[in-house]
Amino acid sequence: MSITIVLGAIVMLLLFSSCGGKKKELGEAITERDSLPSMATLGVVTYISDSGVTRYRMEAEEWLMYDRKRPSYWAFEKGVYLEQFDSLFNVDASIKADTAYFYDKQKLWKLMGNVDIKNRKGERFNTELLYWNQATEKVYSDRFIRIEQPDRIITGYGFDSNQQMTIYQIRNMGGIFYVDEEEQKASTDSVR
């Protein structure tokens, strides 16, 4: 019995001495809850339906939701790609951006980086910053924009549009317009 007590005492002394070493370093506690996302999703591919018909497809490498931030928002900091389908599931329009934020209460998208949009008419829009206000159904930017149409390229600084990007106004406009030299010569010859 005494040998058991002595062995137990030795084991206890060894355990207590090993506990008295260095203290472990711990990181600081997170005191502000709004600095963490309430949801983090990786490798997102989602389909969105309207009245039971699949109309949209969204793809993102990372989707973070910050519901405690003021204002609350969703972050797509590694890029986002959206497609809109027609009734036969052909891609009707698309939006691609390096970074995107969606402010859910205001229903406002902020697209940044290389923003590339293709509308239903086949026109392609390129800019570095674009806002899409779903509440007012308006798309706008105060930055340089390039619009590629089948017969010309239009550039400008500042842009306002409907959300389908079919009716738009460009501020400080410039552009490249292709001219058929034979057609131009024929029209100048007929004026003489």
Side-chain angles (χ1 to χ4, degrees), residues 157-169:
Y157 287 87
F159 171 81
D160 294 294
S161 175
N162 63 346
Q163 70 180 4
Q164 290 80 22
M165 297 190 69
T166 54
I167 302 170
Y168 47 85
Q169 178 182 14

Side-chain angles (χ1 to χ4, degrees), residues 128-144:
E128 63 183 29
L129 177 66
L130 191 79
Y131 293 94
W132 172 19
N133 189 325
Q134 290 179 314
T136 62
E137 299 184 355
K138 298 288 180 194
V139 176
Y140 55 92
S141 178
D142 62 352
R143 303 287 172 90
F144 177 79

Side-chain angles (χ1 to χ4, degrees), residues 146-180:
R146 179 180 187 270
I147 303 170
E148 190 175 326
Q149 297 175 332
D151 59 341
R152 61 185 162 215
I153 297 172
I154 302 170
T155 60
Y157 287 87
F159 171 81
D160 294 294
S161 175
N162 63 346
Q163 70 180 4
Q164 290 80 22
M165 297 190 69
T166 54
I167 302 170
Y168 47 85
Q169 178 182 14
I170 304 166
R171 296 183 291 279
N172 301 321
M173 190 164 100
I176 300 169
F177 301 90
Y178 301 104
V179 178
D180 185 353

Side-chain angles (χ1 to χ4, degrees), residues 8-142:
I10 292 172
V11 170
M12 295 297 272
L13 287 173
L14 290 174
L15 287 176
F16 285 134
S17 64
S18 67
C19 292
K22 288 185 189 178
K23 287 189 175 182
K24 291 185 180 180
E25 296 290 325
L26 298 177
E28 291 184 35
I30 298 172
T31 57
E32 294 191 31
R33 167 61 178 86
D34 67 351
S35 65
L36 293 174
S38 60
M39 182 193 82
T41 307
L42 303 175
V44 177
V45 176
T46 185
Y47 292 87
I48 303 161
S49 64
D50 181 15
S51 303
V53 178
T54 302
R55 303 296 297 173
Y56 305 95
R57 177 180 173 265
M58 183 184 80
E59 190 175 318
E61 189 177 326
E62 180 181 69
W63 178 7
L64 305 172
M65 290 178 79
Y66 293 91
D67 63 342
R68 301 228 175 153
K69 286 277 193 185
R70 297 292 173 243
S72 60
Y73 64 91
W74 302 351
F76 302 91
E77 294 176 342
K78 294 184 179 179
V80 67
Y81 179 71
L82 301 162
E83 290 178 333
Q84 181 180 17
F85 301 118
D86 65 10
S87 59
L88 300 173
F89 298 106
N90 297 312
V91 176
D92 205 14
S94 65
I95 299 172
K96 183 179 182 182
D98 289 344
T99 304
Y101 296 96
F102 177 65
Y103 298 92
D104 54 332
K105 303 286 190 253
Q106 296 91 349
K107 300 206 178 290
L108 177 68
W109 283 91
K110 180 180 182 182
L111 306 167
M112 302 178 335
N114 295 317
V115 181
D116 182 57
I117 299 172
K118 187 183 128 220
N119 70 5
R120 290 180 179 150
K121 298 189 319 188
E123 298 171 317
R124 186 164 232 102
F125 299 77
N126 300 104
T127 188
E128 63 183 29
L129 177 66
L130 191 79
Y131 293 94
W132 172 19
N133 189 325
Q134 290 179 314
T136 62
E137 299 184 355
K138 298 288 180 194
V139 176
Y140 55 92
S141 178
D142 62 352

